[in-house]
Structures are given as structure tokens and as C-alpha cells.
Amino acid sequence: MYSVFRRWLFQLAPEQAHAAGFAAAQVAQIFARRDVQERFSYASPVLSQRLAGIYFPNPVGLAAGFDKDARLLPFWELMGLGYVEAGSVTAHRSRGNARPRAFRLPLDSAIINRMGLPNQGARRVARRIARVHKQCRIPLGISLANSHAPHAEVVAAADDYRRSFMRLAPLADYVTLNISCPNTAHGKTFEHPPSLNVLLEVIFRQRAAQQLDIPVFLKLSPPASARIVFDSQIEEILSIGQFYGVHGYIACNTASDRVGLQTGAAALAEIGAGGLSGPPLRARSVHLVRYLYRRLQSGQVILGVGGIDSALAAYEMIRAGASLVQLYTGLVYKGPEVVRAINEGLVALCARDGLGSIADAVGTDAAQ
Ligand SMILES: Cc1cc2nc3c(=O)[nH]c(=O)nc-3n(C[C@H](O)[C@H](O)[C@H](O)COP(=O)(O)O)c2cc1C
């Protein structure tokens, strides 16, 4: 079914296709709730987990960037997702970069984007979530980033996150700090350890001031390759995270390089700069997840994202150490059916391996 729809969608520019898909989902969310739910949702006790105090009905979530302004929260549950990460939201509304800013790479089933975090800003998104979040029974994560301000110093940029946190954290089940997006002075990300220290100090102080018990996750950049030996920067990030009590890590964001693609050099040159997502990212995400699993304390949650588009890909990520997975590009190429296919496949893979719960699979290949 999606393959027919996709043929039409792929005639449109990626952002137009995204808008068309959203419009269809908005209609379905109102007029065809039961049909959508019957077709897409799937439940099994094998898939549910309680992590960081949150109940997840299944481990497959929507990655940040797909529903930046939280427009479709009730729809994602109907579609069978186990949780949603809205955002990234910034304190100020942003139009993002000039178009075109998203490109499909069909030969690689991948995407390159340089969206530049277009979003309606924390105040407006908070108002929308406040209206609908009671109708949404799956966990809601909200990803925060800092407003684009090329000359902002670290302290001002951290305060930008704080203002978004103040408005949005009371409405969410968890908050992700998108520290891997180069929307900061001179293109540096908040993964730079001294900057991360400032950011976490500000956020955890705000969290205490609001007496919120909400888990805070950090989203990381991908490693340069799937074989890299991790350096002291990631060690420092984890130590700083440990000091402030960060509850989990998301691995990973898009890659700025173009390693391992089938798409030709001329086509890539025409596209230009941007973050690469989809299957070419998967091995690197798995590599980082494995490292995190070996390095982190039990109780800290790992969310694996990058090229998840099948049950086998999700299972590999989970066995590497991720308790939860997320997807973006897989949805674009495979459509909404992919969520149910992943969940059904995970149950079958657990049965094949004699596991009573998906939680029993987490980290079983982390030593590799
Ligand atoms: C068009 C587009 C926009 C994105 N926007 C965001 C964003 O706002 N915040 C964020 O943390 N990640 C963003 N991402 C990254 C995804 O959340 C995810 O980390 C990445 O795409 C790898 O997963 P995938 O291979 O399943 O797409 C975006 C990805 C794409 C393709």
C-alpha cells in the first residue's frame, strides 16, 4: 500500500512530501482513528518495559525532527509507536535554513538535511502540547536545542535551552538535550566538554527549581567510523553526565561526512552540506551504542537511532545495548507499516532466541 503512495510522494520535494503525509495523517487522526489503529497498532507484553520510571508499551519511537512542533501526537499512538520524541524545539521560533534543505538519496535509502531547526518556538509548542497531551497515552519526549544565534556565547545559548526546558519539561515524560546540533557559536556543539558542563549546570538547576523529577537524556553525534576507538571527549561527556545525573543517551544524530554511499560524487556535490541519515549511519550508531552499554551504569537508558528500518536492524541495536530505538528515515522509505513490522518481528526474534522479554535481549551482543 505505502509503495503506491510512495511513488506519488517521491515525485514531490522531500519537504512537500512530508507536509502531504502530515495532512493525510491529520485527517486520519480525526476521521479514521479506528481504521488506522486496527491497521497499524500491535501490542505484546514481550515488548513493554519500564525505563527511567516511564512505561514504554514497545521500544519503537519516533525520532526527533519528524514532528518538530508536536502536531500529530494522538496519531503516533494510533500508528503503533511506543513513544514519540517531538522537537527539536528552540526558545525562539525559527524558520530554519533556506530551501531546498532536505534531499533523498534513493540508492542508499538515505536522506541529507540541513533544515537548521525550523520550529514554532517553545511557547507555541507548549500551548499545543498542553491542549492534546492528555489524549496521548504513549510517552512523550521533547528534544530541546538552542536558537540559532551565531554570535551567542555559551552561557546565553545554555539559557536558551533553559527557557525551553522551563516551558516544556512540565508537559513531557522525558527531555532530550540535543547537544549534537551545530547551532552554536562558530559551529561548535554542546558536546564540547566545558560547554556541556555549563549547559547541564543550568538545566539541572532549573529542574530542581521546578521540582521536576523528569529524566534528562543527551543526544550524541555519530563516531567517525564503525571501528573507531573512542577518545577522551566521549569519556569526558559521560563523566560530566554522570556528575549531574543524566538519565540516558541517544546515539546518534546525523553524520556530516559521506562515507560508504552508493550515491555518486557529482550528486553529492550538487546537494552540498547537511547531515546524513538512514542505513549508512547504522553501523556507527550500533558501535556507539555498544560502547555506551559497556561504559554506563545500569539504570541509565540507551536509545539507539540511525538506519532502523526493519526488525533485524532494531534487534541488532537492542542487542548492542539500546533499550529503545527510534526512526526517521526508515519511515520515509518504508512508510507507517514499518512500525508494526518491526514490533512483530521483534516478538518473533525474542521467541526464536528463547527470550521472554525484549529487555532480556538488551546488551547481549555488547561485548563484541
Ligand atoms: C529531515 C531531518 C530532520 C531532523 N531534525 C532533527 C532535530 O530537529 N533534532 C534532532 O535531534 N534530530 C533530528 N534529526 C535526526 C534524527 O532524529 C535521527 O537522529 C537521524 O536521522 C538518524 O536516524 P534515521 O537514520 O532513522 O533517520 C533529523 C533528521 C532528519 C532526516
Side-chain angles (χ1 to χ4, degrees):
M1 158 90 175
Y2 182 70
S3 56
V4 178
F5 190 45
R6 194 181 90 161
R7 213 170 302 145
W8 175 74
L9 275 182
F10 274 28
Q11 315 259 324
L12 304 174
E15 275 200 75
Q16 278 178 310
H18 198 80
F22 260 54
Q26 253 154 349
V27 173
Q29 173 174 270
I30 298 166
F31 298 109
R33 288 180 66 84
R34 187 166 304 167
D35 292 346
V36 176
Q37 193 159 23
E38 271 171 20
R39 187 178 173 88
F40 295 113
S41 72
Y42 172 78
S44 162
V46 172
L47 298 175
S48 64
Q49 298 173 90
R50 184 169 285 281
L51 301 159
I54 307 166
Y55 174 78
F56 292 86
N58 71 63
V60 183
L62 187 72
F66 205 98
D67 189 5
K68 290 172 186 294
D69 295 322
R71 290 173 188 274
L72 284 178
L73 295 186
F75 181 77
W76 303 124
E77 181 183 349
L78 300 177
M79 227 183 78
L81 285 157
Y83 65 106
V84 179
E85 189 165 310
S88 295
V89 182
T90 56
H92 300 283
R93 181 195 172 143
S94 165
R95 290 186 189 286
N97 293 325
R99 298 181 193 211
R101 53 194 182 176
F103 308 86
R104 293 184 206 101
L105 276 54
L107 286 178
D108 295 290
S109 301
I111 293 175
I112 290 176
N113 93 86
R114 49 171 176 274
M115 302 294 289
L117 300 173
N119 75 97
Q120 293 182 319
R123 184 195 296 261
R124 200 138 164 217
V125 174
R127 253 191 270 137
R128 177 172 304 114
I129 294 175
R131 276 203 308 273
V132 297
H133 89 300
K134 288 214 172 68
Q135 301 163 31
C136 180
R137 288 170 307 163
I138 55 174
L140 170 65
I142 301 182
S143 168
L144 307 181
N146 63 305
S147 303
H148 183 63
H151 305 298
E153 293 306 324
V154 167
V155 174
D159 195 60
D160 196 276
Y161 280 92
R162 185 195 63 78
R163 278 185 288 150
S164 302
F165 183 93
M166 188 179 66
R167 287 188 197 285
L168 289 162
L171 301 166
D173 293 290
Y174 73 84
V175 163
T176 298
L177 303 177
N178 177 3
I179 59 169
S180 41
C181 192
N183 219 8
T184 53
H186 320 301
K188 241 185 209 163
T189 73
F190 266 94
E191 286 170 303
H192 181 53
S195 309
L196 181 62
N197 204 20
V198 172
L199 177 62
L200 292 185
E201 164 80 39
V202 164
I203 292 297
F204 277 85
R205 203 176 330 116
Q206 182 65 37
R207 179 175 176 271
Q210 288 179 268
Q211 299 185 326
L212 293 172
D213 211 11
I214 188 161
V216 176
F217 299 158
L218 300 182
K219 185 161 180 182
L220 303 172
S221 296
S225 87
R227 268 189 278 278
I228 197 168
V229 177
F230 287 97
D231 61 9
S232 57
Q233 168 151 316
I234 181 85
E235 282 293 322
E236 271 189 82
I237 291 173
L238 299 186
S239 308
I240 297 168
Q242 172 88 31
F243 178 79
Y244 287 99
V246 163
H247 303 79
Y249 292 86
I250 305 185
C252 50
N253 218 320
T254 54
S256 51
D257 58 68
R258 303 286 180 260
V259 177
L261 297 178
Q262 303 294 314
T263 305
L268 292 173
E270 202 173 310
I271 289 170
L276 172 72
S277 59
L281 198 57
R282 191 186 307 140
R284 287 193 256 177
S285 283
V286 167
H287 185 55
L288 180 52
V289 163
R290 238 180 229 133
Y291 171 80
L292 291 171
Y293 185 84
R294 292 199 298 258
R295 178 65 184 64
L296 291 175
Q297 320 292 317
S298 69
Q300 288 179 298
V301 187
I302 302 169
L303 299 88
V305 52
I308 304 287
D309 59 1
S310 67
L312 277 176
Y315 198 52
E316 182 190 20
M317 192 69 93
I318 289 168
R319 290 179 65 106
S323 294
L324 300 168
V325 297
Q326 305 184 329
L327 73 170
Y328 187 131
T329 306
L331 264 182
V332 172
Y333 281 90
K334 298 220 168 147
E337 287 95 343
V338 74
V339 177
R340 184 173 184 154
I342 293 175
N343 278 321
E344 281 180 343
L346 286 175
V347 171
L349 288 163
C350 283
R352 182 198 72 183
D353 293 344
L355 304 172
S357 157
I358 195 70
D360 298 335
V362 175
T364 46
D365 282 344
Q368 274 186 6

